[in-house]
Amino acid sequence: MVATFEETYGYPPGRNEVRLADADDLRAAREYAREMPGSDEQLKFYESFGEVALPDVGNGYFIHSARDVLHRVSEEGYAFIPMADDPHGMVIGSDGGGILFVADWGGVIHRSRTASLDAAEFDRVADDFPEFLDLIRRSVTRFVETGEPGYL
């Protein structure tokens, strides 16, 4: 995608990367696991990867680092997802248009309908973190093959 991006779209690509976890990320991953019950899949992810930034896929897809997720919780508190089994969650990612991805304490991933969490409405997008990652993978593949936005 990056190799032919400028030729296809007429401008250079952004910083598309999947950053590997460093020592600070590993510490934050352990703290994340303490804060978020039932987050085994996300913990495994955060032990391997620091963050994902794909600004050129559709509007963009971003999976925030465990440090960023925890910082947001300390600054703003937990997200409230009214229809979830346990309505507490953490913002774990976003798209380039301001839509937020929130993991509830049961591991389900939800997408906000607006760019704000104040009285936000959510749609369930994945039953667990591996399914969420698969949706991102499929979105990238679809974008590369067709130039159309993905599945999230």
Side-chain angles (χ1 to χ4, degrees), residues 7-122:
E7 178 182 318
T8 303
Y9 298 100
Y11 57 92
R15 188 190 113 246
N16 295 278
E17 75 171 341
V18 177
R19 184 178 59 76
L20 296 177
D22 60 23
D24 289 336
D25 292 313
L26 293 173
R27 280 189 290 281
R30 287 188 290 277
E31 184 178 342
Y32 181 92
R34 285 190 298 274
E35 289 288 322
M36 191 70 147
S39 62
D40 292 342
E41 290 97 0
Q42 289 164 273
L43 174 60
K44 289 176 190 174
F45 174 84
Y46 284 132
E47 288 176 335
S48 299
F49 301 100
E51 66 183 325
V52 175
L54 302 170
D56 294 323
V57 178
N59 284 335
Y61 291 109
F62 305 88
I63 300 176
H64 306 310
S65 71
R67 284 180 288 184
D68 290 343
V69 171
L70 293 168
H71 178 74
R72 183 176 187 139
V73 167
S74 73
E75 295 287 316
E76 301 173 19
Y78 291 102
F80 180 71
I81 311 159
M83 77 291 212
D85 290 339
D86 186 322
H88 296 92
M90 291 196 210
V91 176
I92 61 163
S94 60
D95 76 358
I99 298 301
L100 303 171
F101 297 107
V102 178
D104 70 26
W105 284 13
V108 175
I109 309 299
H110 307 267
R111 177 186 57 224
S112 66
R113 291 186 183 169
T114 65
S116 172
L117 288 178
D118 296 332
E121 293 182 20
F122 293 90

